[in-house]
Amino acid sequence: MKQPALIISAVDAKRLRDFIDDQRYAADAGMDALLNRLEAEIEKAKTMPVERVPADAVTMNSAVEVVDQDTGEVIAFELVWPDEADADENRISVLAPLGMAVLGYREGATVEWPVPVGTRRLLIQRVGVDTPTRN
């Protein structure tokens, strides 16, 4: 199955590249591997002006709902910058495996992403949904 094209706004791409460059100076080996992975995702993405990015594409600060294709679990979250991440508020960092997996993909896409316990297959069900907070 051919993977759908990733779409990233020019603004997000620049900010993400700047973030990666800034983090490289202080990165340990684990962080460096994450930064390399994110950089590779950005490089394979189609970059376009913000106003041309489809509304159903996952961008930074998007609210997203995915369905784990193996378990049926529905996960709703907001994709955020690392310093804004908060699991209790369902705010997932772009450096987290789940965050990096969905960045740039559109509603209806199924993405496969390696996680520490194997590979997750995630269907991006909706973009722009309200993300619930845990109590």
Side-chain angles (χ1 to χ4, degrees):
M1 173 172 89
K2 184 180 178 208
Q3 277 290 74
L6 278 78
I7 300 169
I8 298 179
S9 76
V11 171
D12 281 352
K14 179 178 181 348
R15 247 186 108 190
L16 287 164
R17 285 186 182 106
D18 290 347
F19 171 79
I20 291 167
D21 290 344
D22 289 346
Q23 295 301 308
R24 287 218 192 272
Y25 294 106
D28 58 27
M31 175 62 94
D32 201 46
L34 287 174
L35 296 172
N36 288 341
R37 187 78 188 252
L38 180 57
E39 188 172 49
E41 289 297 295
I42 296 166
E43 292 307 314
K44 70 181 184 182
K46 180 177 181 178
T47 303
M48 60 180 56
V50 172
E51 61 274 6
R52 292 196 48 225
V53 174
D56 68 347
V58 179
T59 61
M60 293 305 300
N61 302 309
S62 285
V64 184
E65 185 176 272
V66 299
V67 178
D68 185 309
Q69 296 293 276
D70 297 314
T71 67
E73 177 186 11
V74 177
I75 306 162
F77 61 95
E78 182 180 358
L79 181 63
V80 298
W81 297 93
D83 63 338
E84 299 170 340
D86 183 339
D88 291 335
E89 297 292 324
N90 294 327
R91 296 169 60 88
I92 304 296
S93 168
V94 68
L95 289 181
L98 179 59
M100 210 178 300
V102 299
L103 178 66
Y105 287 102
R106 296 177 72 178
E107 280 182 16
T110 298
V111 296
E112 292 186 4
W113 198 259
V115 292
V117 294
T119 300
R120 289 187 90 171
R121 293 180 322 119
L122 305 168
L123 169 66
I124 300 174
Q125 187 165 280
R126 289 192 287 167
V127 177
V129 297
D130 292 329
T131 54
T133 56
R134 291 185 213 150
N135 292 325

Coordinates of all heavy atoms in Angstrom, one line a residue, residues 3-8 13 16-17 19-21 24 31-47 94-95 100-101 103-105 113-114:
Q3 N 2.0 4.9 0.8 CA 1.7 5.9 1.8 C 1.2 7.2 1.2 O 1.8 7.6 0.2 CB 2.9 6.2 2.7 CG 3.2 5.2 3.8 CD 2.2 5.2 4.9 OE1 1.0 4.8 4.7 NE2 2.5 5.8 6.0
P4 N 0.2 7.8 1.8 CA -0.2 9.1 1.3 C 0.9 10.1 1.5 O 1.7 10.0 2.4 CB -1.5 9.4 2.1 CG -1.5 8.5 3.2 CD -0.6 7.3 2.9
A5 N 0.9 11.2 0.8 CA 1.9 12.2 0.9 C 1.6 13.0 2.2 O 0.5 13.3 2.6 CB 1.8 13.2 -0.3
L6 N 2.7 13.3 2.9 CA 2.7 14.2 4.0 C 2.6 15.6 3.6 O 3.2 16.0 2.6 CB 3.9 14.1 4.9 CG 4.0 12.9 5.8 CD1 4.4 11.6 5.1 CD2 5.1 13.2 6.9
I7 N 1.8 16.4 4.3 CA 1.7 17.9 4.0 C 2.0 18.7 5.2 O 1.4 18.4 6.3 CB 0.2 18.2 3.5 CG1 -0.1 17.4 2.3 CG2 0.1 19.7 3.3 CD1 -1.6 17.5 1.9
I8 N 2.9 19.6 5.1 CA 3.3 20.4 6.3 C 3.3 21.8 5.8 O 3.8 22.2 4.7 CB 4.7 20.0 6.8 CG1 4.6 18.6 7.4 CG2 5.1 21.0 8.0 CD1 5.9 18.1 7.9
A13 N 7.0 23.8 9.0 CA 8.3 23.2 8.6 C 9.5 24.1 9.1 O 10.5 23.5 9.6 CB 8.4 23.1 7.1
L16 N 9.7 23.8 12.9 CA 10.2 22.5 13.3 C 11.7 22.3 13.0 O 12.5 21.8 13.8 CB 9.4 21.4 12.6 CG 8.0 21.2 13.1 CD1 7.2 20.4 12.1 CD2 8.0 20.5 14.5
R17 N 12.2 22.8 11.9 CA 13.6 22.8 11.5 C 14.4 23.6 12.5 O 15.5 23.2 13.0 CB 13.8 23.3 10.1 CG 13.5 22.3 9.1 CD 13.8 22.7 7.7 NE 13.4 21.8 6.7 CZ 12.4 21.9 5.9 NH1 11.7 23.0 5.9 NH2 12.1 21.0 5.0
F19 N 13.5 24.3 15.6 CA 13.5 23.6 16.9 C 14.5 22.5 16.9 O 15.3 22.3 17.8 CB 12.1 23.0 17.1 CG 12.0 22.0 18.2 CD1 11.9 22.5 19.5 CD2 12.0 20.7 18.0 CE1 11.9 21.6 20.6 CE2 12.0 19.8 19.1 CZ 11.9 20.3 20.4
I20 N 14.6 21.7 15.8 CA 15.6 20.6 15.7 C 17.0 21.2 15.8 O 17.8 20.6 16.5 CB 15.4 19.9 14.3 CG1 14.1 19.1 14.4 CG2 16.6 18.9 14.1 CD1 13.6 18.5 13.0
D21 N 17.3 22.2 15.1 CA 18.6 22.8 15.1 C 19.0 23.3 16.5 O 20.1 23.0 17.0 CB 18.7 24.0 14.2 CG 18.7 23.6 12.7 OD1 19.0 22.4 12.4 OD2 18.5 24.5 11.8
R24 N 19.7 20.2 18.9 CA 20.9 19.4 18.6 C 22.1 19.7 19.5 O 22.8 18.8 19.8 CB 21.3 19.6 17.2 CG 20.4 18.9 16.2 CD 21.1 18.2 15.1 NE 20.2 17.8 14.1 CZ 19.6 16.7 14.0 NH1 19.8 15.8 15.0 NH2 18.7 16.3 13.1
M31 N 17.6 11.6 22.3 CA 16.9 12.8 21.7 C 17.4 13.0 20.3 O 16.6 13.3 19.5 CB 17.2 14.0 22.6 CG 16.7 15.3 22.0 SD 14.9 15.3 21.8 CE 14.4 16.1 23.3
D32 N 18.7 12.8 20.1 CA 19.2 12.9 18.7 C 18.5 12.0 17.7 O 18.2 12.4 16.6 CB 20.7 12.7 18.7 CG 21.4 13.3 17.5 OD1 21.1 14.5 17.2 OD2 22.2 12.7 16.9
A33 N 18.2 10.8 18.2 CA 17.5 9.8 17.3 C 16.1 10.3 17.0 O 15.7 10.2 15.8 CB 17.5 8.5 17.9
L34 N 15.4 10.9 18.0 CA 14.1 11.5 17.7 C 14.2 12.6 16.8 O 13.3 12.8 15.9 CB 13.5 11.9 19.1 CG 13.0 10.8 20.0 CD1 12.5 11.5 21.3 CD2 11.9 10.0 19.4
L35 N 15.1 13.5 17.0 CA 15.3 14.7 16.1 C 15.6 14.2 14.7 O 15.0 14.8 13.7 CB 16.4 15.6 16.6 CG 16.1 16.2 18.0 CD1 17.4 17.0 18.5 CD2 14.9 17.2 18.0
N36 N 16.4 13.2 14.5 CA 16.7 12.7 13.2 C 15.4 12.2 12.5 O 15.2 12.4 11.3 CB 17.8 11.6 13.2 CG 19.1 12.2 13.5 OD1 19.4 13.4 13.3 ND2 20.0 11.3 14.0
R37 N 14.6 11.5 13.3 CA 13.4 10.9 12.7 C 12.4 12.0 12.3 O 11.8 11.9 11.3 CB 12.8 10.0 13.8 CG 11.6 9.2 13.4 CD 12.0 8.0 12.5 NE 11.0 7.3 11.9 CZ 10.5 6.2 12.3 NH1 11.0 5.5 13.3 NH2 9.5 5.6 11.6
L38 N 12.3 13.0 13.2 CA 11.4 14.1 12.8 C 11.9 14.9 11.6 O 11.2 15.2 10.7 CB 11.3 15.1 14.0 CG 10.4 16.3 13.8 CD1 9.0 16.0 13.4 CD2 10.4 17.2 15.1
E39 N 13.2 15.1 11.5 CA 13.8 15.7 10.4 C 13.5 14.9 9.1 O 13.2 15.5 8.1 CB 15.3 15.9 10.6 CG 16.0 16.7 9.6 CD 17.5 17.0 10.0 OE1 18.2 16.0 10.3 OE2 17.9 18.2 9.9
A40 N 13.6 13.6 9.2 CA 13.4 12.8 8.0 C 11.9 12.9 7.6 O 11.6 13.0 6.4 CB 13.7 11.3 8.3
E41 N 11.0 13.0 8.5 CA 9.6 13.2 8.2 C 9.3 14.5 7.5 O 8.6 14.6 6.5 CB 8.7 13.1 9.5 CG 8.6 11.7 10.0 CD 7.9 10.7 9.1 OE1 6.7 10.9 8.8 OE2 8.6 9.8 8.7
I42 N 10.0 15.6 8.0 CA 9.8 16.9 7.4 C 10.4 16.9 6.0 O 9.8 17.5 5.1 CB 10.5 18.0 8.2 CG1 9.9 18.1 9.6 CG2 10.5 19.3 7.5 CD1 10.7 18.8 10.6
E43 N 11.5 16.3 5.8 CA 12.1 16.2 4.4 C 11.3 15.5 3.4 O 11.3 15.9 2.2 CB 13.5 15.6 4.5 CG 14.5 16.5 5.3 CD 14.6 17.9 4.8 OE1 14.7 18.1 3.6 OE2 14.6 18.8 5.6
K44 N 10.5 14.5 3.8 CA 9.7 13.8 2.8 C 8.4 14.4 2.6 O 7.6 14.0 1.7 CB 9.6 12.3 3.1 CG 8.8 12.0 4.3 CD 8.8 10.4 4.5 CE 8.0 10.0 5.7 NZ 8.0 8.6 5.9
A45 N 8.0 15.4 3.4 CA 6.7 16.1 3.3 C 6.7 17.1 2.2 O 7.7 17.7 1.8 CB 6.4 16.8 4.7
K46 N 5.5 17.3 1.7 CA 5.2 18.4 0.8 C 5.0 19.7 1.6 O 4.1 19.7 2.4 CB 4.0 18.1 -0.1 CG 3.7 19.2 -1.1 CD 2.6 18.8 -2.0 CE 2.3 19.9 -3.0 NZ 1.2 19.5 -3.9
T47 N 5.8 20.7 1.4 CA 5.6 21.9 2.2 C 4.9 22.9 1.3 O 5.1 23.1 0.1 CB 7.0 22.5 2.5 OG1 7.8 21.5 3.3 CG2 6.9 23.8 3.4
V94 N 5.0 16.6 19.5 CA 5.4 16.2 18.2 C 6.6 15.2 18.2 O 6.8 14.5 17.3 CB 5.7 17.4 17.3 CG1 7.0 18.1 17.7 CG2 5.8 17.0 15.8
L95 N 7.3 15.2 19.3 CA 8.4 14.3 19.5 C 8.0 12.9 20.0 O 8.8 11.9 20.0 CB 9.5 14.8 20.4 CG 10.3 16.0 19.8 CD1 11.4 16.4 20.8 CD2 11.0 15.6 18.5
M100 N 4.6 12.2 16.2 CA 5.4 12.2 15.0 C 4.7 11.3 13.9 O 4.8 11.6 12.7 CB 6.8 11.6 15.3 CG 7.9 12.1 14.4 SD 9.5 11.5 14.8 CE 9.7 12.1 16.5
A101 N 4.0 10.3 14.3 CA 3.3 9.4 13.4 C 2.3 10.1 12.5 O 2.1 9.8 11.4 CB 2.7 8.2 14.1
L103 N 1.8 13.6 12.1 CA 2.1 14.9 11.5 C 2.1 14.8 10.0 O 2.8 14.0 9.4 CB 3.5 15.4 12.1 CG 4.0 16.7 11.5 CD1 3.1 17.8 11.9 CD2 5.4 17.0 11.9
G104 N 1.3 15.7 9.4 CA 1.4 15.8 7.9 C 0.4 14.9 7.2 O 0.1 15.1 6.0
Y105 N -0.2 14.0 7.9 CA -1.2 13.1 7.2 C -2.6 13.6 7.3 O -2.9 14.5 8.1 CB -1.1 11.7 7.8 CG 0.1 10.9 7.4 CD1 1.2 10.8 8.3 CD2 0.2 10.4 6.2 CE1 2.3 10.1 8.0 CE2 1.4 9.7 5.8 CZ 2.4 9.6 6.7 OH 3.6 8.9 6.3
W113 N 3.6 3.1 12.5 CA 4.7 3.7 13.2 C 5.3 2.8 14.2 O 4.5 2.3 15.0 CB 4.2 5.0 13.8 CG 5.3 6.0 14.2 CD1 5.9 6.1 15.4 CD2 6.0 6.8 13.3 NE1 6.8 7.1 15.3 CE2 6.9 7.5 14.0 CE3 5.9 7.1 11.9 CZ2 7.8 8.4 13.5 CZ3 6.7 8.0 11.4 CH2 7.7 8.7 12.1
P114 N 6.6 2.7 14.2 CA 7.2 1.8 15.2 C 7.2 2.5 16.6 O 7.4 3.7 16.7 CB 8.7 1.7 14.8 CG 8.9 2.8 13.9 CD 7.6 3.2 13.3

